[in-house]
């Protein structure tokens, strides 16, 4: 298994909702990442987990809450989002923290 | 301010010809550079990388050239094939990627026409 999977593919949520994005990999990678990509913009790093511990938080608002329950799974909990948070959320993994990262297909999030 | 710039949003090339995608960067601390390819509805896929101690890296049809003095890198695809049609992202990393912090350019959409 050499892929990173993300669910759901699409998500529409209101500003008062709570939802979660899920990312899974079974390549034995110990580093996992969340990126945000707005239309016609490059992906921007949000969080990095290394060995299930949060390693980097790129000054992301607290309405985004990451969680790494085990080495294969990475969640992003969403609460009280704003319409400007609508974007493609990409998950990636790598054997350890490094530049060669394997990306999932992303979750397209729309906040209404 | 963008640290990694891909100034051409799109490029169209005939099948069999060379595709040249360009990327400029501003941060002299970057020491690793990568190219990712992205098809619609898929995540970016790692293509090729180059360390700042090299000026060229080749992998099959793909070659990346690095000009440190000009802070410029380019990806050459020879010969181009229709299946190469995708968005290509240039990315850079400092400290050998030890912090996992990739800085991406905006991407160049390559269309290879049969």
């Amino acid at each position: 298994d050499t892929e990173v999977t993300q669910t759901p593919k699409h998500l529409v949520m209101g500003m008062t909702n709570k939802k979660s994005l899920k990312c899974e990999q079974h390549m034995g990678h110990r580093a996992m990442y969340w990126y945000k990509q707005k239309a016609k913009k490059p992906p921007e790093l949000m969080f990095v987990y290394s060995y299930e511990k949060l390693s980097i938080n790129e000054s992301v608002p607290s309405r985004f809450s990451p969680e790494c329950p085990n080495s294969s799974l990475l969640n992003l909990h969403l609460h009280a989002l704003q319409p400007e948070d609508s974007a493609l959320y990409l998950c990636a993994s790598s054997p350890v923290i490094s530049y060669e990262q394997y990306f999932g297909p992303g979750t397209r999030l729309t906040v209404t | 301010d963008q640290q990694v710039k891909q100034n051409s949003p799109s490029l169209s090339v005939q099948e069999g010809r060379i595709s040249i995608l360009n990327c400029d960067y501003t941060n002299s601390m970057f020491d690793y550079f990568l190219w990712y390819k992205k098809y619609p509805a898929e995540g970016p896929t790692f293509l090729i990388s180059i360390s700042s101690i090299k000026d060229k890296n080749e992998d099959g049809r793909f070659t990346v050239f690095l000009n440190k003095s000009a802070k410029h890198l380019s990806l050459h695809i020879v010969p181009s094939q229709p299946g190469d049609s995708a968005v290509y992202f240039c990315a850079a990393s400092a400290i050998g990627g030890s912090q996992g912090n990739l800085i991406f350019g905006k991407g160049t959409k390559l269309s290879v026409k049969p």
Side-chain angles (χ1 to χ4, degrees), chain B residues 45-85:
Chain B
T45 303
F46 170 73
L47 193 58
I48 191 169
S49 65
I50 187 167
S51 161
S52 60
I53 62 173
K54 294 186 174 182
D55 53 20
K56 176 182 174 182
N57 189 25
E58 194 171 349
D59 184 1
R61 295 186 296 114
F62 302 91
T63 303
V64 57
F65 295 92
L66 175 63
N67 181 334
K68 287 190 292 293
S69 59
K71 293 192 175 69
H72 176 84
L73 63 156
S74 60
L75 175 69
H76 293 211
I77 307 173
V78 184
S80 302
Q81 299 173 353
D84 296 328
S85 297

Side-chain angles (χ1 to χ4, degrees), chain A residues 34-64:
Chain A
W34 279 116
Y35 285 83
K36 174 180 176 179
Q37 186 178 15
K38 303 270 289 180
K40 300 193 179 182
K41 298 278 189 181
E44 293 180 352
L45 184 67
M46 300 174 72
F47 302 103
V48 181
Y49 271 82
S50 177
Y51 291 87
E52 295 97 72
K53 288 188 170 32
L54 184 64
S55 176
I56 293 177
N57 175 342
E58 292 284 358
S59 304
V60 179
S62 59
R63 57 186 184 269
F64 295 92

